[in-house]
Each structure stands twice: as C-alpha cells, then as structure tokens.
Amino acid sequence: MSNDLFNAAVWEKAWTEDPNATGNKMKKAGIGRTSFDHKAKSFNAEVFSAEGRHRSERIIRWIEGQGVDFQGLSVLDIGAASGGFTVPFIDRGARVTAVEPNVPLSELFRENTARFDQGQVELVHDVFEELDIDARGWSNAYDLVFVSMCPVIVDWESVERVLSTARKYCYISVGAGPREHSLLQAVLPLLTGQEIHPESSDMAYLTHLLYLKGYSFQSIITKETKTTESSYEEAIEEVMQALKTHKLIPNASARQIVTDYVHRTYPDGKVVIHQGGRYGKVLIQLQELNMYTRPETVRA
C-alpha cells in the first residue's frame, strides 16, 4: 500500500489542486459573492418553508444527539445566509454571531432575526476569509462553529482557519459527490455527447485529513433530494448558469438546445426539477475527545 494514503501533505496538496473540488470549480466558473443575488428571495422562502425548517431541524437534532446543548451556547454561524440555522439556534437558547457577505441575504437575515433581543444575535456583514480573527478576538472563542454547505470550505487551510475560531465543537457540511439536478443531467449529454460521472468529493478530503491530523469527530453521509417547479425562463436560466461548473460555455447554441429540450419535455409550461445528492456532515470534538454516551433512561 502506498504511504501516500497516510501522508497528510499529499492530501492537502491534492485537495488544493483538484480542478473538480468545489472551490476550484466555482472559481473557474466565475461564481462569486453576488452570483446568488437573484436567488436570495426564493432561497429564503425555501429555507423557511415547512420542508426547509424540517431539514434544518433534522441537522440540528443530529448535532444535539452528539451531546451538544444549545442553551447558553455561543455559536459562530459562517455563511449564515438568511438565517435558516441562526433562528432555530437562538430559539434553543444560543447566542449567535453570524457572518454573511451577500447583501440581499444579509437584509433578509436582519428581517428574520428582528424579533430577537439585542445580545442574542450579531450580524457581521463581511467576508469570513478576509476577517482578522485575532483582532476580533475570535480565536478559540466560540463553543460551536457552524459551516453548512458554504464555499468558505475549499481546502485544508480553510478548514484550519474555521477550526481556529472554535472552542468545543465545529460542524462542517460539504458535498460527498456530484450534485444531482434532473434537468441539467438530461441536457448535458445533448451538449457534450457524454454521460456525467462522479469526479471528486470534498468530503473525502475533509474526513481523511481530519483522521490523519488526529481529530476526534462524528460523521455521516446521507442522500437528500427535493422537488421544485419552475417556469420555462427560470429553469433555462438556472441550467445556463450551471453549465459553467461543467466547463461549458453558456452560449447561444447551448441556450437553444436547452430551450428546445425544456419546451419539448414540459409542454404545459411547468418544469419539475428533482435536485439533491450525497452530502457529508462532520461534528469535530475539540474538548471532549471520547465517544459521547447518552444518559441512561430510567425504566420503571
């Protein structure tokens, strides 16, 4: 067996240089902080829908199942978006510092957290990667640091930066395989003449490096799906934007192929899209390094 399997430097370099790692794909596609401005309202509606709240509750309960009590907990929510996790954290008794650089999402965050008292929540409208952690007094300052599907995590260096702010726990979720999008998957073969196969997984790099670096952690990989309904225009534009992450140019020819397929396949004008994929969740334990044991249930 190659010793590279146990060589952390090799894995760090591989993650940084992997062209199919999420961070590198987004960078090459030109996806930045303002790329999601037009989706802010629809994203917010989805996050605070019954299905969205159920999804966040499942994740929070998984964290609680590892012994994390949110009552009185200080939380740093990095990439907080419109507050889909911040709100239930505070409802459970936590004090939250949220970091979100996107303007429309920050405005929605303020609306969604307006009911809370001063001191329960603080919004830092800035880019986490550019913040001076020491100057802010954030080094090892938060009981729980929470990063859910946020492009802050792009390589091991970015993981270490996040970990430097945590005192007890750090939760990170990343993709564990290619994202599934029924419409995109249907049109890609029409554009490339090839089927799409898994190329990379941030979760593989993350968990292996945590293991090699000696961290204690709990992890889980699940498959999650959701179904949405869009108009022709919304569906076509969504696919055109996604083409960039597959190294395709969203030109007029590609748009025509996508448009023809959508109109042909969904004649009633309602485009039903199934989205999802495999996602990894990791809860890193920084103080209590042993396995958590739930209190025994007293039976009558």
Side-chain angles (χ1 to χ4, degrees), residues 186-203:
V187 300
L188 281 175
L190 302 178
L191 295 167
T192 66
Q194 300 175 344
E195 293 185 3
I196 305 301
H197 300 286
E199 297 175 316
S200 184
S201 168
D202 291 303
M203 185 65 172

Side-chain angles (χ1 to χ4, degrees), residues 24 37 41 78-79 81 106 127 140 158 179 189 206 232 269 273 290:
N24 290 332
D37 285 9
K41 288 186 177 179
I78 301 173
S106 294
V127 181
N140 306 117
S158 64
R179 294 193 181 187
L206 174 61
Y232 283 152
I273 301 174
N290 58 304

